[in-house]
Amino acid sequence: TLGTETFQDCASLTSITFEGNQITVLPDNFAGNTTNLTTCNIPTTVETIGANAFQKSGIETIALPEGLKSIGARAFSASSITHITLPASLSTLDGESQFNGCKSLETITFAEGCKLTAISNYFTNNCTALKSMNIEACRDLTSIGHCVYAKTAVEKADIPAGVTYIGDWCFCDCPNMQTVIFNTTAWGITLGKTCFGGCAGAKGYYNEESTGLEQQGHYVVKNNTACIDELKLTAVAPIK
């Protein structure tokens, strides 16, 4: 067992190596604010990464073990991470802002069959270099939180079929966003306020096999129908 703040604020720390360790938890504030830390081999036995574990660290790449179930609030926020793969075993994003403010983050890859049902608020907010996030791999997803795509460079979002809620400002200020695909099978998607503000170039498409659409091909939405006008969702043809 490791105590909280194990390596917190260790300014000269560059590497953490686990050998033959059977720990299941990286505690809260494990190696936060370690700006020179570049490598850490997380043991394959780890199931939980605590809040702020690598916040403001110098980590650029890190392998998350298959078997990881939970990532805590702000675990990698404002770190130097550039690419990361989230394993299929991941089922919980505890709290919010796991990657918020990671200015060097370019890709997030969800493993096929990822068990997440909700993407947390501010998950990748203000990740200005983020170009790719294959959220469609999370087939059990029902909820996408506030500001998940806000202020990113993502060009396309393919929304899984089970999603019924998209939070406030979710796609706000995404200058590169071109396409948002809805594959809804639910009767109604609730959109948060200013959900697509600042996405003037984006177009929305629906899957013609979806059951969550009116016969006229318009979206069945709840609240804030102004979001539809912003994205021009009712004016485009179905996916073929």
Side-chain angles (χ1 to χ4, degrees), residues 86 90 110-119 134-142 159-163:
L86 303 179
L90 183 65
F110 291 95
E112 284 295 327
C114 185
K115 293 178 174 59
L116 286 173
T117 59
I119 302 296
N134 65 329
I135 202 170
E136 64 273 15
C138 303
R139 297 176 183 175
D140 295 330
L141 204 64
T142 61
I159 308 300
V163 171

Side-chain angles (χ1 to χ4, degrees), residues 72-78 93-102 105 108 118-127 130 133 143-152 165 167-172 193:
R74 302 170 301 279
F76 294 93
S77 68
L93 296 173
D94 191 15
E96 58 187 30
S97 301
Q98 279 73 14
F99 297 95
N100 189 0
C102 291
L105 181 61
I108 288 183
I119 302 296
S120 63
N121 294 335
Y122 312 104
F123 178 64
T124 47
N125 176 54
N126 202 24
C127 292
L130 182 64
M133 182 164 59
S143 174
I144 301 174
H146 304 328
C147 297
V148 170
Y149 287 89
K151 297 182 180 180
T152 69
Y165 174 79
D168 298 347
W169 313 291
C170 185
F171 296 92
C172 191
K193 61 187 178 183

Side-chain angles (χ1 to χ4, degrees), residues 1 25 45 49 57 70 80 82 88 94-95 100 113 153 160 183 206 211 217 240:
T1 302
V25 177
T45 52
I49 296 176
S57 73
S70 175
S80 299
T82 59
D94 191 15
N100 189 0
N183 300 287
Y206 65 86
T211 60
K240 299 296 183 182

Side-chain angles (χ1 to χ4, degrees), residues 32-211:
N33 200 27
T34 50
T35 54
N36 287 307
L37 178 67
T38 57
T39 60
C40 177
N41 66 323
I42 298 178
T44 58
T45 52
V46 167
E47 298 179 352
T48 301
I49 296 176
N52 309 304
F54 294 98
Q55 184 184 38
K56 296 182 180 179
S57 73
I59 290 282
E60 294 184 2
T61 59
I62 194 166
L64 302 183
E66 183 59 48
L68 180 69
K69 297 178 180 179
S70 175
I71 299 177
R74 302 170 301 279
F76 294 93
S77 68
S79 70
S80 299
I81 201 86
T82 59
H83 307 276
I84 196 159
T85 297
L86 303 179
S89 56
L90 183 65
S91 60
T92 304
L93 296 173
D94 191 15
E96 58 187 30
S97 301
Q98 279 73 14
F99 297 95
N100 189 0
C102 291
K103 302 290 190 180
S104 299
L105 181 61
E106 295 182 6
T107 60
I108 288 183
T109 303
F110 291 95
E112 284 295 327
C114 185
K115 293 178 174 59
L116 286 173
T117 59
I119 302 296
S120 63
N121 294 335
Y122 312 104
F123 178 64
T124 47
N125 176 54
N126 202 24
C127 292
T128 53
L130 182 64
K131 298 177 181 177
S132 174
M133 182 164 59
N134 65 329
I135 202 170
E136 64 273 15
C138 303
R139 297 176 183 175
D140 295 330
L141 204 64
T142 61
S143 174
I144 301 174
H146 304 328
C147 297
V148 170
Y149 287 89
K151 297 182 180 180
T152 69
V154 173
E155 296 182 358
K156 176 182 176 181
D158 195 345
I159 308 300
V163 171
T164 58
Y165 174 79
I166 297 177
D168 298 347
W169 313 291
C170 185
F171 296 92
C172 191
D173 295 328
C174 293
N176 296 339
M177 184 65 74
Q178 296 297 314
T179 304
V180 178
I181 300 174
F182 287 81
N183 300 287
T184 181
T185 56
W187 285 102
I189 298 176
T190 299
L191 299 179
K193 61 187 178 183
T194 320
C195 189
F196 295 100
C199 292
K203 294 182 179 180
Y205 296 87
Y206 65 86
N207 189 322
E208 62 184 348
E209 297 179 355
S210 296
T211 60

